[in-house]
């Protein structure tokens, strides 16, 4: 799991480092598509970090809910076996 997180983090860092490079290339090239590429690069510079943060937040919430469900199932299982008395 740690290696997977490291790989995704490395890919994210590389993407974030490529965005300014694309901005510079788009600014210095004089083609008819350079304005559109520049706008797309700025859009990516804003949206990519927001999306990464949102994915991380959702992952934490889902992981937390799964852990709570597993814990409640274990408690209910112990109650059925007579291990814990809630009275």
């Amino acid at each position: 799991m740690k290696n997977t997180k490291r790989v995704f983090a490395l890919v994210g860092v590389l993407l974030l480092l490529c965005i300014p490079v694309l901005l510079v290339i788009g600014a210095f090239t004089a083609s008819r598509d350079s304005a559109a590429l520049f706008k797309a690069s700025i859009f990516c510079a804003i949206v990519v970090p927001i999306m990464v943060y949102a994915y991380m937040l959702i992952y934490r919430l889902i992981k937390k809910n799964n852990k709570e469900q597993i814990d409640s199932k274990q408690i209910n299982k112990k109650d059925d076996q007579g291990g814990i008395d809630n009275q």
Side-chain angles (χ1 to χ4, degrees):
M1 185 69 176
K2 280 187 176 183
N3 289 335
T4 306
K5 285 183 181 181
R6 286 182 183 175
V7 169
F8 283 129
L10 183 61
V11 169
V13 168
L14 290 175
L15 284 174
L16 290 175
L17 290 176
C18 288
I19 291 170
V21 172
L22 291 174
L23 281 168
V24 171
I25 291 171
F28 287 119
T29 58
S31 69
R32 59 186 170 100
D33 295 330
S34 63
L37 291 172
F38 186 74
K39 288 178 186 177
S41 296
I42 290 177
F43 176 78
C44 287
I46 295 170
V47 171
V48 168
I50 292 172
M51 293 299 292
V52 168
Y53 177 75
Y55 288 144
M56 288 173 32
L57 182 65
I58 291 169
Y59 175 76
R60 270 190 268 144
L61 290 174
I62 290 172
K63 186 176 176 182
K64 181 180 176 184
N65 288 339
N66 285 341
K67 185 177 179 184
E68 289 174 357
Q69 288 176 353
I70 290 170
D71 289 343
S72 67
K73 285 180 183 179
Q74 289 176 351
I75 290 172
N76 290 338
K77 189 175 182 181
K78 287 180 182 177
D79 286 343
D80 292 342
Q81 295 175 353
I84 297 176
D85 191 16
N86 287 334
Q87 296 176 359

